[in-house]
Amino acid sequence: MGQDSSIAAPGGRERILTAAMATLETRGEAALRFADIAKDADVAVSVITHHFGTREGLIAELHARRFASISARDHEALQHLVERATTRAEFAAGVAAITVATFDDSRSEDRFARLVSIGAMHGRPELAAAIRQEATVMIDRVTQVIETGQSRGLVATDVDPRAVATFIRAYALGMVERYLDNRPTSREAVVEVILRAVGVFMTEPNSA
């Protein structure tokens, strides 16, 4: 495959990311080599440098993608809920369902993966910038959800929507502590505490 045709070939960038992510997840960052990734993705090495520049550029993209993808489905569910709920009870029930799903024990490895990506930022400005950008985008999205809830009378308007979004993001990430605890409380008990805290921000919808 020639260099020009490789670069122009559709899906080349995604194939590179898929191959590189598989390596990152199974063998770690140290195993990421352009030659191996190019072979797995069926592209020339020049295609990788065209899209990502350096190895550090590729690693930054991988960590940022992993950091963001884990929360995508939760954001979509919350957005869907806040747009369709018509009563506080309906909204609260939906938040409860999303919270239970979010803290399912099967997602513990995903939480650890996010922490690995955050920890990898130290001393690496390109990677730090990529993670910060993704974190900002995620908080932006949750903030928009909270603002929608406020406009629909489902979320109290006397709280800063970005502060609420930050709180939500913080407890979602912080749940990794439960998996590190040798004597953890039940998932149900943790969910109950979270729902009580989140319930403070909820309000009855306007009757108009």
Side-chain angles (χ1 to χ4, degrees):
M1 185 181 293
Q3 178 176 335
D4 291 340
S5 61
S6 295
I7 292 174
R13 190 175 192 280
E14 285 303 314
R15 292 204 307 276
I16 293 166
L17 287 170
T18 298
M21 186 66 78
T23 298
L24 178 66
E25 298 288 0
T26 58
R27 293 189 286 153
E29 195 177 296
L32 290 169
R33 300 179 181 84
F34 275 14
D36 295 336
I37 296 168
K39 181 179 179 181
D40 292 342
D42 191 27
V43 299
V45 170
S46 59
V47 181
I48 302 178
T49 57
H50 169 77
H51 286 296
F52 304 100
T54 64
R55 181 175 180 274
E56 190 66 16
L58 174 61
I59 289 173
E61 177 82 10
L62 290 171
H63 279 296
R65 174 170 287 208
R66 181 166 69 175
F67 179 83
S69 64
I70 293 170
S71 299
R73 59 183 172 181
D74 299 328
H75 292 164
E76 291 174 3
L78 190 57
Q79 182 68 47
H80 180 87
L81 172 65
V82 80
E83 289 174 352
R84 289 162 177 76
T86 57
T87 66
R88 181 189 183 280
E90 184 180 347
F91 184 57
V95 170
I98 293 170
T99 303
V100 170
T102 298
F103 295 113
D104 190 281
D105 289 345
S106 65
R107 299 180 66 176
S108 60
E109 290 301 320
D110 289 344
R111 298 187 189 285
F112 284 122
R114 287 187 66 202
L115 286 183
V116 168
S117 292
I118 293 172
M121 291 168 54
H122 183 67
R124 304 167 78 176
E126 188 171 0
L127 174 54
I131 295 290
R132 289 180 189 278
Q133 175 61 27
E134 291 297 338
T136 300
V137 168
M138 286 191 287
I139 294 176
D140 284 344
R141 290 175 179 169
V142 180
T143 300
Q144 291 171 358
V145 169
I146 301 304
E147 289 173 342
T148 299
Q150 289 177 325
S151 70
R152 301 196 64 235
L154 296 168
V155 178
T157 57
D158 61 346
V159 291
D160 182 285
R162 196 170 191 85
V164 177
T166 301
F167 170 77
I168 292 171
R169 295 295 310 155
Y171 76 64
L173 180 60
M175 276 300 102
V176 72
E177 292 284 348
R178 178 172 174 271
Y179 302 112
L180 297 176
D181 187 357
N182 286 328
R183 295 183 297 278
T185 187
S186 69
R187 183 184 67 183
E188 291 74 19
V190 174
V191 169
E192 180 182 356
V193 169
I194 290 169
L195 292 177
R196 285 194 183 187
V198 173
V200 173
F201 306 124
M202 296 182 193
T203 183
E204 290 288 357
N206 296 326
S207 58

